[in-house]
Amino acid sequence: MKAVVLSDWGGAENFTVQDIPTPAIKPDEVLVKVKAFGVNPADFKTRSGAAPYSKDYSHPIVLGWDMAGEVVEAGTDVTTFKPGDAVYGMVNFPKPGQAYAEYVAAPAAHLALKPATLSFEEAAAAPLAVLTAWQALTEHGQLKAGENVLIQAASGGVGHLGVQLAKALGAYVIGTASGKNEAFVRSLGADAFIDYTQTSVEESVSDIDLVFDTAGADTIMASAKVLKPNGRLISIAYGAMDKVLAVRPDIRAERILVHTSGDDLRTINEFIDADKLKISVSEVLPASQIADAHQKLESRRTTGKIVLTFS
Ligand SMILES: NC(=O)c1ccc[n+]([C@@H]2O[C@H](COP(=O)([O-])OP(=O)(O)OC[C@H]3O[C@@H](n4cnc5c(N)ncnc54)[C@H](OP(=O)(O)O)[C@@H]3O)[C@@H](O)[C@H]2O)c1
């Protein structure tokens, strides 16, 4: 099979498309013929060697966690999927998922059936970002209907799904991005928009119940300051939480790491089936352009998601 192979830590020039053996499956896994795979900022952090979990890898390696495709073989213990099923999922995160390939050996517990309304490209774009948004808002953020939520970087891979999920959960949603993304963020259902290049978040809002900060270290202090007493700050990017809590000891602040879950994807499927959640794919590229995809992501200026295909 063809796969994108990374020869060493460092830049995206270390990727090449090569022929490598198709993986063998374990009893609890299925072999998926990949129709499309997704990329996330975690991919370029792992590629460079900077991610905390990079130590679990040795070169040459195949990166990638997000993929969608068709089951071609099911392990002897698998009862949930059969050959021919269209599936999607985040495979083995943060351990090697090896999704930048034509075939992936995926634990059945990490997959869900692909909603019929999603293309394979849309489904491949979703798993890591949508699981992050879902777990941040519900499991960690405990978002309740009627609360107000601020989503920092509302136009990004995670943020654009967070806006829609928060709306579907009944929240009043405020999104931040630069002005060129205002129409996109409002189209997702955001009730209010802050162009962070023109206005500071602190001057624009206050008394927020929950901030979901997907933007990072530069925004984390402002995210804390606009919360009401006992408000919740859920961050997925690096940021100095100790400094934040020194300034706002009266809030709950947490940095989370997404975990894989086929069950969460099945819950998320209900929002997709109810037409309350759309996956925005800004670009579909051939696998040979993986370096281009990584460089675009590293610019931090993309909207929605980038996916790649071998066909
Ligand atoms: N801990 C976890 O489990 C976890 C899971 C997923 C992702 N992450 C991390 O979360 C971060 C976001 O991931 P992502 O996939 O959503 O990234 P992304 O798609 O690359 O985000 C890009 C978006 O961020 C916006 N943005 C950049 N700086 C901003 C700022 N200061 N204020 C508001 N918006 C800003 C940009 O809008 P403009 O162009 O308009 O500025 C752009 O649309 C990354 O650092 C990623 O590694 C962590």
Side-chain angles (χ1 to χ4, degrees), residues 179-202:
K180 69 178 189 307
N181 285 321
E182 176 167 359
F184 174 57
V185 172
R186 287 191 185 274
S187 78
L188 303 168
D191 299 288
F193 178 82
I194 302 169
D195 176 353
Y196 70 91
T197 66
Q198 301 296 319
T199 330
S200 81
V201 168
E202 293 109 301

Side-chain angles (χ1 to χ4, degrees), residues 39-45 53 93 128-129 132 151-160 176-181 184 193-194 196-197 213-216 218-219 235-238 255-259 296-305:
V39 287
N40 292 284
D43 298 25
F44 68 71
K45 293 172 189 174
Y53 31 80
F93 181 86
L128 190 147
T132 304
I151 300 188
Q152 296 266 37
S155 49
V158 178
H160 90 284
T176 71
S178 69
K180 69 178 189 307
N181 285 321
F184 174 57
F193 178 82
I194 302 169
Y196 70 91
T197 66
D213 192 335
T214 77
D218 298 342
T219 52
S235 168
I236 54 169
Y238 299 110
R255 179 177 186 273
I256 65 160
L257 184 67
V258 62
H259 59 87
K296 282 181 170 149
L297 261 189
E298 286 183 84
S299 77
R300 294 296 324 276
R301 295 279 79 80
T302 56
T303 58
K305 298 287 302 179

Side-chain angles (χ1 to χ4, degrees), residues 64-266:
W65 293 287
D66 280 347
M67 60 89 213
E70 200 175 286
V71 173
V72 291
E73 187 187 344
T76 48
D77 292 350
V78 175
T79 55
T80 40
F81 302 107
K82 59 182 186 318
D85 284 346
V87 294
Y88 75 126
M90 175 179 80
V91 180
N92 283 326
F93 181 86
K95 300 216 172 291
Q98 308 194 76
Y100 292 2
E102 285 184 307
Y103 290 87
V104 171
H110 299 182
L111 303 177
L113 289 173
K114 177 183 78 65
T117 53
L118 289 192
S119 65
F120 281 104
E121 288 81 4
E122 289 166 329
L128 190 147
V130 81
L131 286 168
T132 304
W134 175 253
Q135 291 164 12
L137 294 172
T138 61
E139 188 180 320
H140 301 277
Q142 307 284 314
L143 182 62
K144 292 181 272 302
E147 290 191 317
N148 57 40
V149 54
L150 173 71
I151 300 188
Q152 296 266 37
S155 49
V158 178
H160 90 284
L161 300 168
V163 169
Q164 297 175 75
L165 286 171
K167 273 308 285 182
L169 292 168
Y172 180 87
V173 181
I174 306 152
T176 71
S178 69
K180 69 178 189 307
N181 285 321
E182 176 167 359
F184 174 57
V185 172
R186 287 191 185 274
S187 78
L188 303 168
D191 299 288
F193 178 82
I194 302 169
D195 176 353
Y196 70 91
T197 66
Q198 301 296 319
T199 330
S200 81
V201 168
E202 293 109 301
E203 283 166 12
S204 308
V205 288
S206 58
D207 276 336
I208 300 291
D209 295 295
L210 171 68
V211 179
F212 178 30
D213 192 335
T214 77
D218 298 342
T219 52
I220 195 91
M221 197 57 86
S223 293
K225 285 182 179 167
V226 300
L227 282 165
K228 61 168 62 159
N230 298 317
R232 292 96 73 198
L233 169 58
I234 307 298
S235 168
I236 54 169
Y238 299 110
M241 283 302 191
D242 48 345
K243 288 189 187 144
V244 164
L245 286 168
V247 174
R248 285 298 306 264
D250 59 331
I251 63 166
R252 177 164 74 75
E254 192 185 353
R255 179 177 186 273
I256 65 160
L257 184 67
V258 62
H259 59 87
T260 192
S261 169
D263 288 338
D264 280 357
L265 285 179
R266 279 179 277 282

